[in-house]
Amino acid sequence: MDTTAGTLVKYKMVIDGEWVDSASSQHFESFDPFTGKPWALIPRGNAEDVDRAARAARKAFTSGEWPKMTASRRGALLRKLGDLITEKSKALAEIEVRDNGKLYAEMSAQTAYMAQWYYYYGGLADKIEGQVIPIDKPDTFNYTRFEPLGVVGAIIPWNSPLLLTAWKLAPALAAGNVMVLKPSEYTSASLLEFMKLIEEAGFPPGVVNVVTGFGPEAGTPLVEHPLVAKIAFTGSDLTGQKIYEAAAKGLKKVSMELGGKSPNIVFDDAEIDNAVKGAISGIFAATGQTCIAGSRLLVQESIHDQFVEKLVAFAKTAKMGNPMSMETQVGPVTNQPQYKKILSYIDIAKAEGVTTALGGAKATRPECGDGWFVEPTIFTGVKNSMRIAQEEVFGPVLSVIPFKDEEEAIAIGNDVVFGLAAGVWTQNMRRAFLMAEKLQAGTVWVNTYRAVSYLSPFGGYKRSGLGRESGQEMIKEYLQTKSVWISTAREVPNPFIMR
Ligand code: NAI
Ligand code: MG
């Protein structure tokens, strides 16, 4: 499967149940963000590989075991996969950490929890029920069937590779589809390791394929491939827009989760110590590299100074360093372009006239070594119109914005192009419900932040996305509805008029 080339682990990708090199035989390096050095070689897939994978998937969809399999059996395979994930979750987490630098403390919990998506959608597989419709025509039986779409292409980012794969793969397979997965060029290794579990669980060859490579070389051909019926994407809004445009040419279905600039709103009646922790988890957890980052902290004027003081004091204690250590709280940034992007946004914010209350530079602490670390950064005096408040930084950079009252909090909260999530900290119930109603976001958390579950729909308003992931309803994103009409009439009536 993988061999060692020098000191680098050399991976293969998976097409039609075979571990293969890319058609070009080329590889690219994957880096360990803590050391800043390459550790693995990943096949550099291109349009030819995508074509092979899409054909293999289509073949698996139309012939062989998969289309004959009962929904209950599909469910059983998914639950078996869940068991294998549970068994191997620590090893998977280690690969994730090595490749994306997120904390082992978080990734080991995440890879263990990830099994739930496979259990849940495994359970749902044989509960996809059509309806008998009491149709308004005599002697007619009308019913609906929910059928899979066929080949689904999934394009995955680097921040939580296996979890974001699960959100797509589990419902797509439960619904009877087949898949071609394209992981991020920065974090392909964990998905390739995960494919060993797909194999072990017993999915027929071609049902799940992985083509690794760069966005334009492997991602674009996947979106454009005529055999691909749907694209499920998580990543940046600009790439999402490009994919949507390309998918439109083939009239393909899309679902997209595209990041945000989420407001985390603290009212003066909040339990302050909890709200401080909520603000921290919103922006410094995962080094801020999360689509749901609470990157705009809206603080009510009356408590602004006192709150910022407590927040800075807490953030100052954050331990940086080796993401494998259970002590570490803020790890490195996943890739070098992202590291440079974060630092450039820090410069932009400073040029816009913000006040640096904490950090505001790359981290040079000895425990950070040669890794790509950015100091936890808190800017005050931020105006919502500034670029630092409008654009997704995807790093440990917090913009603090004061507000007067509920009305202003809602206005500022909604005054961005995104709408993925929002946090509200208050003890006032009326206020909690009001904010939950008025904030334009796919998820609103009150007195908590950064909670997700396989049971609850997740996705964005506005430029934060299309469609939802998780929960029962969303399986429909991987199904199409067929209406079947059966006449029991003895005679066909007047053929010249519509029935
Ligand atoms: P990206 O959105 O460009 O990449 C995500 C995935 O799309 C990767 O697998 C990539 O190879 C693929 N891709 C890129 N261009 C493509 C194309 N033209 N056609 C098909 N596939 C394509 O994100 P990137 O460059 O890794 O990060 C840039 C920014 O995106 C970050 O700074 C952050 O702001 C945001 N981001 C948001 C995420 C989220 O969870 N919403 C996750 C990762 C990044
Ligand atoms: Mg890497």
Side-chain angles (χ1 to χ4, degrees), residues 139-415:
D139 304 326
T140 307
F141 185 64
N142 178 253
Y143 65 98
T144 55
R145 289 169 50 81
F146 290 107
E147 298 182 350
L149 303 170
V151 184
V152 174
I155 299 181
I156 298 149
W158 40 260
N159 51 339
S160 291
L162 289 180
L163 184 70
L164 297 174
T165 299
W167 291 12
K168 299 163 181 58
L169 186 60
L173 294 182
N177 297 284
V178 293
M179 285 200 107
V180 179
L181 305 167
K182 209 298 280 173
S184 166
E185 53 272 38
Y186 299 113
T187 55
S188 306
S190 60
L191 184 58
L192 296 171
E193 293 286 344
F194 173 80
M195 286 304 290
K196 296 176 189 169
L197 307 187
I198 291 273
E199 208 173 54
E200 200 179 331
F203 287 92
V207 170
V208 185
N209 307 274
V210 178
V211 177
T212 50
F214 296 93
E217 290 176 14
T220 305
L222 181 60
V223 179
E224 290 173 348
H225 200 285
L227 291 179
V228 173
K230 175 194 163 126
I231 295 288
F233 172 72
T234 303
S236 66
D237 64 323
L238 291 177
T239 299
Q241 184 182 323
K242 273 192 215 158
I243 290 176
Y244 198 14
E245 282 167 11
K249 294 207 179 97
L251 290 173
K252 293 176 189 194
K253 295 188 184 352
V254 294
S255 54
M256 317 206 139
E257 196 271 279
L258 307 175
K261 198 69 194 179
S262 299
N264 203 357
I265 304 171
V266 184
F267 285 97
D268 60 7
D269 64 48
E271 295 211 47
I272 296 302
D273 291 338
N274 283 344
V276 166
K277 286 189 196 157
I280 297 275
S281 78
I283 194 68
F284 299 129
T287 317
Q289 301 174 109
T290 136
C291 48
I292 49 185
S295 49
R296 291 183 302 146
L297 183 71
L298 276 51
V299 183
Q300 197 155 19
E301 269 169 11
S302 45
I303 56 161
H304 178 276
D305 294 356
Q306 164 208 349
F307 191 84
V308 169
E309 198 178 307
K310 283 202 161 195
L311 179 67
V312 169
F314 196 114
K316 254 187 193 154
T317 66
K319 289 193 186 61
M320 300 183 83
N322 189 340
M324 278 305 291
S325 157
M326 293 302 270
E327 310 274 275
T328 302
Q329 292 165 318
V330 178
V333 171
T334 297
N335 57 68
Q336 204 174 28
Q338 186 60 29
Y339 173 65
K340 289 185 179 155
K341 177 180 164 182
I342 297 169
L343 294 175
S344 89
Y345 267 108
I346 287 175
D347 292 341
I348 290 167
K350 288 178 179 169
E352 285 178 308
V354 303
T355 302
T356 307
L358 183 71
K362 64 182 175 192
T364 52
R365 308 180 191 193
E367 58 272 33
C368 295
D370 293 327
W372 303 316
F373 284 88
V374 177
E375 282 292 336
T377 295
I378 299 175
F379 290 132
T380 56
V382 177
K383 292 197 184 63
N384 198 55
S385 56
M386 292 176 175
R387 283 185 65 191
I388 195 66
Q390 291 288 320
E391 296 172 24
E392 185 174 52
V393 176
F394 225 64
V397 180
L398 182 65
S399 295
V400 185
I401 304 170
F403 68 90
K404 268 199 286 303
D405 52 18
E406 288 167 358
E407 206 181 327
E408 199 184 15
I410 294 164
I412 297 173
N414 289 337
D415 187 17

Side-chain angles (χ1 to χ4, degrees), residues 117-141:
W117 272 264
Y118 295 97
Y119 292 135
Y120 178 76
Y121 286 107
L124 194 57
D126 57 6
K127 293 161 198 72
I128 301 167
E129 296 167 347
Q131 281 181 308
V132 174
I133 296 179
I135 205 77
D136 60 329
K137 320 273 179 197
D139 304 326
T140 307
F141 185 64

Side-chain angles (χ1 to χ4, degrees), residues 407-428:
E407 206 181 327
E408 199 184 15
I410 294 164
I412 297 173
N414 289 337
D415 187 17
V416 282
V417 297
F418 297 106
L420 190 62
V424 180
W425 298 85
T426 180
Q427 296 188 72
N428 178 329

